[in-house]
Amino acid sequence: FFKVDRVVVYGNKAYSAWAIQEASGIEGGENLLSFGRTRACGKIITALPYVKNVRIGINLPDTVNIYIEEFDVSYAVESDDGIWWLMNSEGKVMEQTDTAGATNYTKVLGVKIVTPELHKQAVAFQDMITQETQPDQPTGETQVPTPVIITEQQKLAAALTILQALELNEIVGEASSVDVSDLTRIELWYGTQYQVNLGDTNNMDYKIACLKYTVSSLAEYDSGELDISFTIWPDKVTYSPFK
C-alpha cells in the first residue's frame, strides 16, 4: 500500500515538471510514507540553480506534491544612459545592477531601454532603423535592395522571444549574450564556446531547440560557429570549428 504512483509539481516556470521530478530522484513504486523528502529537496536545489525553495508533501494513497519557489530568471540590458538593469523574459524591469553584475547574466545587446522603472515593462527608443534586404530576382537583372523599417521596440521584442525560447528549452543561463543589432542576422553566444547565427526572427523556438540538440551532440572541448539561420541549408545546422 501507499506507493508513489504520481508526482505533481507546482510553481515551476524555468523548469519543466519532468525536469524537477528527475532532479528529485523520486521514483514510482517508492514507499510514499518513508521516502527521503529532505534528500529529494536537496537534490532539486543542487541540480537546478534557479530553484530557490522546495517543499514536498504527499496525498494518500499515491501522490507526491512538489512545491517550487524559483528565483526570478533575469537578463541584463543597458539603458540609454549607460546603466545596466535586470529584466525578466517578459520584459519587466527587476532591479538595477552594475557592469560587473551584468556579466553574471545573459546580456541583451543591440538595443537599449529608456527611462526604466522598477517592476514596469521595459521600453526601447522608437527610432527607426533601415535594414536592406536583397530581393529574389532572375539572374542577370540588377538587384535593388529593399528597405525594411525596424524600430528599437521590435528589436527588444525579438530579444524577449529568444529569451523565452531559452527558458522553454531549459538552457537558461547557457547563453552569455544575445545580439539583436541586425534582425536579419541575430547573434547568440553559447557560453564562450559557440558563436551562433540565428538568422532572422522566424521559427525561433525551433532554432533554439536545434541549438540545444546540436551542442549536446558535440564534444565538450569543441568550439566554433554554429549557423542555425537555415538560409544556406534548410533545416540543417552547420558547424565550423574556430581556427
Side-chain angles (χ1 to χ4, degrees), residues 109-111 129-131 133 148-160 162 178-187 197-202 204 207:
L109 306 175
V111 63
I129 296 175
T130 302
Q131 293 183 353
T133 60
V148 177
I149 304 301
I150 296 172
T151 68
E152 291 292 305
Q153 195 64 24
Q154 285 176 303
K155 290 165 67 176
L156 178 60
L160 296 178
I162 297 167
V178 173
D179 192 337
V180 291
S181 300
D182 182 351
L183 290 189
T184 65
R185 185 185 169 87
I186 298 170
E187 183 176 281
N197 173 21
L198 294 172
D200 59 23
T201 57
N202 291 326
M204 195 54 68
K207 290 176 180 177

Side-chain angles (χ1 to χ4, degrees), residues 49-134:
Y50 285 99
V51 174
K52 184 178 181 180
N53 289 308
V54 184
R55 288 189 303 110
I56 294 180
I58 62 172
N59 277 348
L60 297 178
D62 59 5
T63 302
V64 175
N65 297 314
I66 302 178
Y67 301 91
I68 297 293
E69 181 186 357
E70 296 177 346
F71 291 105
D72 285 317
V73 181
S74 301
Y75 308 88
V77 62
E78 195 176 9
S79 60
D80 59 309
D81 53 3
I83 296 174
W84 285 94
W85 296 81
L86 301 182
M87 70 175 181
N88 64 17
S89 61
E90 296 178 351
K92 182 183 291 186
V93 178
M94 307 303 292
E95 61 179 290
Q96 183 178 324
T97 186
D98 54 22
T99 304
T103 60
N104 297 319
Y105 300 87
T106 301
K107 285 186 175 180
V108 176
L109 306 175
V111 63
K112 293 185 178 183
I113 59 176
V114 58
T115 348
E117 296 182 55
L118 289 178
H119 309 300
K120 297 290 183 68
Q121 197 71 16
V123 178
F125 277 119
Q126 289 299 324
D127 291 349
M128 299 293 187
I129 296 175
T130 302
Q131 293 183 353
E132 295 182 343
T133 60
Q134 294 289 346

Side-chain angles (χ1 to χ4, degrees), residues 4-35:
V4 175
D5 183 57
R6 198 162 67 104
V7 177
V8 183
V9 180
Y10 301 91
N12 55 307
K13 293 181 181 177
Y15 303 104
S16 67
W18 180 87
I20 291 168
Q21 181 178 346
E22 283 291 299
S24 74
I26 298 171
E27 297 182 355
E30 286 191 75
N31 189 302
L32 188 68
L33 301 178
S34 63
F35 76 91

